[in-house]
Amino acid sequence: MARTGGTTRAATAAVDSLDFALDRGSPVPLYYQLAQQLEAAIEHGALAPGNLLGNEIDLSTRLGLSRPTVRQAIQSLVDKGLLVRRRGVGTQVVHSQVKRPLELSSLYDDLESAGQGPTTQVVRNEREPASPDVAAALGIAEGSEVIVLERLRLTHGQPVALLCNYLPATLLELDSARLESTGLYRMMRTAGITLHSAHQTIGARSATAEEAARLDEEEGAALLTMQRTAYDDTGRPVEYGTHIYRASRYAFDFQLLVRP
Amino acid sequence: MARTGGTTRAATAAVDSLDFALDRGSPVPLYYQLAQQLEAAIEHGALAPGNLLGNEIDLSTRLGLSRPTVRQAIQSLVDKGLLVRRRGVGTQVVHSQVKRPLELSSLYDDLESAGQGPTTQVVRNEREPASPDVAAALGIAEGSEVIVLERLRLTHGQPVALLCNYLPATLLELDSARLESTGLYRMMRTAGITLHSAHQTIGARSATAEEAARLDEEEGAALLTMQRTAYDDTGRPVEYGTHIYRASRYAFDFQLLVRP
DNA sequence: GAGTGGTCTAGACCACAAT
DNA sequence: TTGTGGTCTAGACCACTCG
């Protein structure tokens, strides 16, 4: 029986039949344009899991790009976990049970993007002298002025989390109204603070009577706790937070990539 | 007053005074050798936080390498969060409160490297037909044979966690004795299984009477829970686990990097 | 042996930041 | 204006996998 396409083998270079639109006039780097279009092709199914990408040389000549440029595009998708390279074999689309490597930022402004219609109530937004542990976490002098932020997160009108954050008072102004609509991290970004890294600790404990009351739980109910210190790209701590979540209504959910 | 070095400015290229030993005969890539030595210099203080690395061109000529090679070395450290590049400014060592971006693998074989002298007892190591949810998680047919593994983790003789894992029975042989000394992931790696990614969910709940008894807690005590599905680089699920941890003795602790 | 990715070179021009 | 990183090119050779 005759076959028409190049699909005789189980996995063939399906890229051959794809069109890529590269705009050399664009300020967007060529490798990035290519990476985006490859990612789109994968997500949208034009490049199916297991498909070989075809060798880099051919691809680069076909696209009118140099090989390093094509490699840079491919590498960025490998880093995202969408592609796998095997020496002597080729590059294939990951046979993805693997959902798209969820933005790690979801661990930052958690529920923000969860699409559950989360709401935030700013319960407290004041300045006060730093307590010893807050000062230690932020690397500032004890008694320095810090912004104290207390927020209640709700989904479907039900409380989910109680977030308490501390920021050096000199960093920015925090308008409560905007905080409720925009989120803390977006406000910091807007203020020119570029986040670089964060250290997090996730634990659990039983709810105290007061916590239970504020979160609409029973005393002794299991709570998830998270403490986080975030740093900007100079290594300066810019935020310290201690959060508690109702374990009955929330869990941390994320993807890990194994670095080779 | 005369100064000898180039240290007049606050942050100067301290790299200039460093010696790098690059071995072109080695099978280790040059960029990797350089990256390792830079990392060592940072960790060991020869390159202090805030220090500029000095421009890439000079560095490459001084080292007898091409610029792309030097860039590749630097880029790998940027990815690790140790360096920051600023266009028009230079590359500097991150002013690190930021501890070394803990191996994410610690989230896999958690306590393994925690240096607390962890012990593992294999409580159960059998084969049985897959239950519906296990079959779903591993993407195999319900009733297929799976390996069921139950382990108890102890530190200082105290139970810390109860780990329950499921693996497709065809994947490998699991020797209980070696499991206790080597760890599950190392055994999988040895069996030629290359881990690629994992999906994790961390939550909390109160201990049942049985769980409490096995973990030496009181009934109702807060427990941390973790469910994980791990995939190899073909996207095939190779392990599913549900773990519980005593919240009074364990917390997840990790570093996040914000991707630019 | 043929084909693949992995590494490396020696240039070039551009965009951005600081002065 | 000067210096930095960001991007890009057109080659080259090597190491590995597979048939």
Side-chain angles (χ1 to χ4, degrees):
Chain A
M1 170 175 160
R3 300 290 297 260
T4 46
T7 43
T8 321
R9 280 183 290 150
T12 305
V15 200
D16 297 352
S17 54
L18 287 182
D19 273 336
F20 294 99
L22 299 174
D23 176 7
R24 295 191 108 88
S26 163
V28 178
L30 291 173
Y31 79 89
Y32 193 80
Q33 294 183 38
L34 177 55
Q36 278 187 317
Q37 293 178 42
L38 280 172
E39 183 170 359
I42 292 170
E43 187 147 359
H44 138 293
L47 287 180
N51 276 176
L52 281 172
L53 213 59
N55 83 57
E56 301 172 346
I57 305 279
D58 290 354
L59 189 53
S60 60
T61 62
R62 187 163 81 82
L63 297 176
L65 295 176
S66 70
R67 186 186 168 200
T69 301
V70 171
R71 273 185 67 80
Q72 194 174 359
I74 293 178
Q75 187 58 44
S76 71
L77 297 187
V78 171
D79 291 342
K80 281 193 180 185
L82 296 176
L83 297 177
V84 182
R85 295 207 234 226
R86 301 168 192 273
R87 192 181 340 212
V89 179
T91 303
Q92 334 178 268
V93 178
V94 166
H95 214 260
S96 75
Q97 312 287 359
V98 184
K99 305 300 177 196
R100 54 153 35 180
L102 304 169
E103 290 300 310
L104 279 195
S105 59
S106 66
L107 268 184
Y108 283 99
D109 238 355
D110 330 323
L111 304 156
E112 198 78 12
S113 54
Q116 301 202 18
T119 314
T120 306
Q121 289 175 8
V122 175
V123 179
R124 190 175 162 211
N125 181 357
E126 298 171 350
R127 286 155 188 267
E128 68 173 30
S131 67
D133 41 321
V134 169
L138 292 178
I140 59 181
E142 194 177 327
S144 311
E145 196 176 47
V146 292
I147 299 173
V148 186
L149 207 57
E150 242 180 79
R151 292 172 296 167
L152 189 65
R153 281 281 166 88
L154 311 142
T155 58
H156 309 302
Q158 289 278 330
V160 180
L162 195 52
L163 317 176
C164 184
N165 294 90
Y166 302 87
L167 298 87
T170 53
L171 272 187
L172 75 172
E173 296 296 319
L174 287 177
D175 176 55
S176 289
R178 191 169 299 177
L179 257 176
E180 299 195 339
S181 63
T182 307
L184 176 56
Y185 280 92
R186 217 164 305 168
M187 285 190 69
M188 292 174 65
R189 186 182 189 83
T190 307
I193 300 169
T194 64
L195 251 37
H196 174 264
S197 61
H199 177 264
Q200 300 197 156
T201 303
I202 296 179
R205 67 158 198 270
S206 299
T208 66
E210 192 209 334
E211 288 165 346
R214 298 182 69 176
L215 286 173
D216 200 11
E217 282 280 351
E218 309 227 325
E219 187 175 344
L223 297 179
L224 263 175
T225 66
M226 197 244 297
Q227 286 143 57
R228 174 182 59 217
T229 311
Y231 304 89
D232 72 4
D233 54 9
T234 71
R236 185 181 47 159
V238 291
E239 184 247 336
Y240 170 68
T242 72
H243 302 174
I244 59 179
Y245 303 82
R246 296 173 69 179
S248 57
R249 304 179 57 83
Y250 188 73
F252 293 99
D253 192 289
F254 53 96
Q255 208 81 15
L256 288 184
L257 292 180
V258 177
R259 40 170 117 213
Chain B
M1 170 178 162
R3 299 291 298 262
T4 47
T7 44
T8 321
R9 281 183 290 149
T12 305
V15 201
D16 296 352
S17 55
L18 286 181
D19 273 336
F20 295 99
L22 299 173
D23 176 7
R24 294 191 108 88
S26 163
V28 178
L30 291 173
Y31 80 89
Y32 193 79
Q33 294 182 39
L34 177 55
Q36 278 187 318
Q37 292 177 43
L38 280 172
E39 185 170 358
I42 291 170
E43 188 147 359
H44 137 294
L47 288 180
N51 276 176
L52 280 172
L53 213 59
N55 83 56
E56 300 172 345
I57 304 278
D58 290 354
L59 189 53
S60 60
T61 63
R62 187 165 80 82
L63 296 176
L65 296 175
S66 70
R67 186 186 169 201
T69 301
V70 171
R71 273 184 67 81
Q72 194 174 358
I74 292 177
Q75 186 59 44
S76 71
L77 297 187
V78 171
D79 291 341
K80 281 193 181 185
L82 296 176
L83 297 177
V84 181
R85 296 206 232 227
R86 302 168 192 274
R87 191 175 350 208
V89 178
T91 303
Q92 19 181 287
V93 179
V94 166
H95 215 265
S96 75
Q97 311 286 0
V98 184
K99 304 300 177 197
R100 55 154 33 183
L102 304 169
E103 290 300 311
L104 279 195
S105 59
S106 66
L107 267 184
Y108 283 100
D109 238 356
D110 331 321
L111 306 156
E112 198 79 11
S113 54
Q116 299 203 19
T119 314
T120 305
Q121 289 175 7
V122 174
V123 180
R124 190 176 164 210
N125 181 357
E126 299 172 350
R127 287 157 187 264
E128 67 174 30
S131 67
D133 40 321
V134 169
L138 291 179
I140 60 181
E142 193 177 328
S144 311
E145 197 176 47
V146 292
I147 299 173
V148 186
L149 207 58
E150 242 180 78
R151 292 172 296 167
L152 189 65
R153 280 283 166 88
L154 311 140
T155 58
H156 309 303
Q158 288 278 331
V160 181
L162 195 51
L163 317 176
C164 185
N165 293 90
Y166 302 87
L167 297 87
T170 54
L171 272 186
L172 76 172
E173 295 296 319
L174 286 178
D175 177 55
S176 289
R178 191 170 298 175
L179 258 176
E180 299 195 340
S181 62
T182 308
L184 176 56
Y185 280 91
R186 217 164 305 167
M187 285 189 69
M188 292 174 67
R189 187 183 189 84
T190 308
I193 300 169
T194 64
L195 251 37
H196 173 265
S197 61
H199 177 264
Q200 300 198 155
T201 303
I202 295 179
R205 68 157 197 270
S206 298
T208 66
E210 191 207 334
E211 288 166 346
R214 299 181 69 174
L215 286 174
D216 199 13
E217 283 280 351
E218 309 226 324
E219 187 174 345
L223 297 179
L224 263 175
T225 67
M226 198 245 295
Q227 285 142 58
R228 175 180 60 217
T229 310
Y231 305 87
D232 72 4
D233 55 8
T234 71
R236 185 182 46 161
V238 291
E239 184 247 336
Y240 169 68
T242 73
H243 301 173
I244 59 179
Y245 303 82
R246 295 174 68 181
S248 58
R249 303 178 57 85
Y250 188 73
F252 293 99
D253 191 289
F254 54 95
Q255 208 81 16
L256 288 184
L257 292 180
V258 178
R259 40 169 117 214

